[in-house]
């Protein structure tokens, strides 16, 4: 009986050691798997961050370099700044002089499908006001563009405008508030007034006194940049 007890005790010890070794081996393997999974996530995030990105500007003559030498407008200056900051982001300027919110709304689906931008800058509405179009229609068109961009998971920057008071105080006020309302309701970034620091200085306008000249383009970019930076992952 004593021999049997010693033998059984020996076997139990061996089994215990094997069990302990197996548990340790399993623990090491589990740790390695967690480490590899973490490395994979970091690599995927790095790859996604460093992948080339598109930034789509959908605007009117204020962004389409109307009356300027090509490459001198604020959107071109933005591309230069991104290159200087070593950001692999391409600015696709799809702005057209004279465009309205309905024009932008109609053009956007094809542009989103073609370029699949990570960021959409909407600079439209001024020509709606110049033509006296109903603000409800303009707001609905802008809302539709925001909706489409968000369906594509694109971040949106809405560029606000203001109009002269000769359109009437009520229309002027509601036009400016339209951008604020859309930005608040959709939780998108907003440039409060694209022409801040320019509108009251005639030396920064072309001869038509409507379109900013070349000297005004850096200021337009500076008006956009603080709200655009976070959308690009910059502090």
């Amino acid at each position: 009986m004593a021999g049997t007890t010693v033998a059984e005790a020996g076997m139990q010890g061996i089994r215990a050691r094997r069990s302990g070794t197996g548990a340790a081996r399993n623990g090491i393997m589990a740790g390695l798997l967690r480490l590899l999974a973490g490395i994979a996530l970091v690599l995927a995030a790095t790859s996604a961050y460093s992948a080339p990105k598109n930034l789509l500007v959908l605007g009117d003559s204020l962004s389409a370099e109307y009356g300027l030498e090509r490459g001198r407008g604020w959107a071109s200056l933005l591309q230069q700044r991104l290159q200087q900051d070593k950001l692999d982001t391409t600015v696709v300027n799809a702005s057209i002089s004279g465009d309205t919110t309905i024009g932008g709304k109609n053009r956007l689906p094809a542009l989103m499908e073609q370029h699949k931008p990570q960021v959409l800058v909407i600079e439209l509405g001024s020509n709606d006001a110049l033509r006296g179009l109903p603000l409800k229609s303009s707001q609905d068109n802008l809302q539709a563009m925001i909706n489409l961009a968000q369906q594509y998971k694109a971040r949106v920057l809405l560029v606000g405008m203001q109009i002269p008071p000769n359109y009437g105080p009520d229309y002027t006020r509601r036009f400016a508030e339209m951008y604020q309302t859309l930005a608040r309701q959709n939780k998108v970034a907003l440039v409060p007034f694209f022409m801040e620091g320019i509108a009251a200085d005639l030396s920064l306008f072309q001869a038509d006194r409507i379109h900013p000249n070349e000297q005004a383009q850096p200021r337009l970019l500076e008006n956009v940049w603080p709200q655009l930076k976070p959308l690009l992952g910059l502090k």
Side-chain angles (χ1 to χ4, degrees):
M1 293 295 294
T4 302
T5 301
V6 170
E8 288 178 348
M11 290 302 295
Q12 288 174 358
I14 292 172
R15 285 196 293 270
R17 287 193 296 274
R18 286 178 177 176
S19 176
T21 303
R25 185 180 295 113
N26 290 337
I28 293 172
M29 290 300 296
L32 286 174
L33 289 174
R34 286 194 295 270
L35 177 61
L36 290 173
I39 292 173
L41 286 173
V42 171
L43 291 175
T46 303
S47 176
Y49 181 80
S50 61
K53 298 178 176 62
N54 286 334
L55 183 156
L56 178 64
V57 178
L58 187 66
D60 50 35
S61 56
L62 298 179
S63 298
E65 299 186 327
Y66 177 89
L68 303 175
E69 183 181 344
R70 294 291 79 99
R72 302 289 187 176
W74 76 268
S76 296
L77 298 181
L78 171 61
Q79 181 68 80
Q80 294 173 22
R81 175 171 290 190
L82 296 176
Q83 291 172 346
Q84 292 169 0
D85 290 343
K86 303 296 190 295
L87 289 177
D88 195 4
T89 300
T90 299
V91 176
V92 179
N93 191 356
S95 303
I96 296 178
S97 294
D99 206 4
T100 59
T101 59
I102 187 63
K105 172 187 171 183
N106 291 338
R107 293 193 297 120
L108 186 57
L111 291 168
M112 294 297 296
E113 186 60 30
Q114 178 182 356
H115 300 290
K116 294 181 172 57
Q118 283 68 43
V119 177
L120 171 65
V121 178
I122 303 175
E123 181 274 299
L124 289 168
S126 296
N127 289 316
D128 294 47
L130 291 174
R131 299 177 187 184
L133 300 179
L135 289 179
K136 178 65 165 58
S137 298
S138 300
Q139 184 165 335
D140 288 346
N141 293 333
L142 290 169
Q143 181 64 63
M145 287 183 266
I146 294 171
N147 290 344
L148 181 61
Q150 292 179 337
Q151 289 174 20
Y152 277 82
K153 308 300 182 185
R155 304 183 189 100
V156 176
L157 175 59
L158 188 61
V159 179
M161 283 295 297
Q162 297 176 17
I163 56 175
N166 57 296
Y167 285 84
D170 182 63
Y171 189 92
T172 300
R173 175 184 56 80
R174 290 191 296 116
F175 181 81
E177 289 177 350
M178 173 179 69
Y179 296 97
Q180 300 167 14
T181 299
L182 286 165
R184 183 176 62 255
Q185 291 179 346
N186 294 280
K187 295 181 173 57
V188 299
L190 172 69
V191 175
F193 183 31
F194 190 33
M195 301 282 282
E196 183 69 40
I198 298 170
D201 188 348
L202 290 179
S203 70
L204 295 176
F205 283 86
Q206 300 178 36
D208 61 10
R209 296 190 176 186
I210 296 176
H211 297 93
N213 58 25
E214 183 175 331
Q215 287 67 43
Q217 301 305 308
R219 180 56 191 264
L220 290 175
L221 175 56
E222 291 307 316
N223 289 342
V224 170
W225 186 243
Q227 285 73 36
L228 182 59
K229 279 171 55 178
L231 304 186
L232 298 171
L234 301 174
K235 296 182 179 179

